[in-house]
Amino acid sequence: QVQLVESGGGLVQPGGSLRLSCAASGDTFSNLNMAWFRQAPGKERDFVATITWGGNRKVYADAAKGRFTISRHNAKNTVYLEMNSLKPEDTAVYYCAAARKEYGLGYEASAYAFWGQGTQVTVSS
């Protein structure tokens, strides 16, 4: 069983930056593909970005391209989401997700078996 704990959310002004972290435990981190999703009130959980177990391939949602960067540090069992040029429409609960690497990269929430509890990101002046 994989446990995921997100941190780094908060209140930021439009145009600002935040870095989210997700610490994993319970399995060998380098066996896991990792992803970030987000869910705004009254909306579905949307894909943001994903990264392969070795970090060599990253895929972003259109809304994240050019502003967000996903990365991982396997020795620290941690995945990050660096968010720049934040907009009010980025306001959401951000979730970290994990899937064992043999299942390949996925862009749907159903592709990920393990989830964190979420961290709130609010972009407002």
Side-chain angles (χ1 to χ4, degrees):
Q1 191 73 5
V2 177
Q3 293 81 44
L4 303 172
V5 179
E6 301 98 335
S7 60
L11 173 64
V12 63
Q13 292 187 342
S17 299
L18 279 177
R19 187 175 83 153
L20 307 182
S21 300
C22 172
S25 61
D27 198 346
T28 302
F29 189 61
S30 59
N31 285 340
L32 302 172
N33 293 331
M34 302 297 296
W36 288 95
F37 285 76
R38 67 186 184 184
Q39 189 167 19
K43 296 189 176 181
E44 294 185 351
R45 192 168 295 189
D46 290 331
F47 169 74
V48 175
T50 186
I51 185 168
T52 51
W53 61 273
N56 61 315
R57 185 181 172 206
K58 305 173 186 181
V59 179
Y60 297 90
D62 287 344
K65 287 178 183 175
R67 299 188 300 126
F68 294 3
T69 302
I70 190 170
S71 63
R72 64 190 294 160
H73 195 308
N74 283 358
K76 294 183 178 181
N77 294 346
T78 302
V79 63
Y80 305 97
L81 185 68
E82 183 78 34
M83 304 186 294
N84 298 311
S85 302
L86 283 162
K87 306 173 183 180
E89 51 264 43
D90 294 318
T91 295
V93 177
Y94 283 70
Y95 295 92
C96 174
R100 294 202 166 90
K101 64 183 180 182
E102 53 264 35
Y103 296 108
L105 277 186
Y107 316 121
E108 300 289 337
S110 58
Y112 294 86
F114 308 106
W115 292 85
Q117 81 290 348
T119 186
Q120 176 70 47
V121 171
T122 302
V123 184
S124 176
S125 54

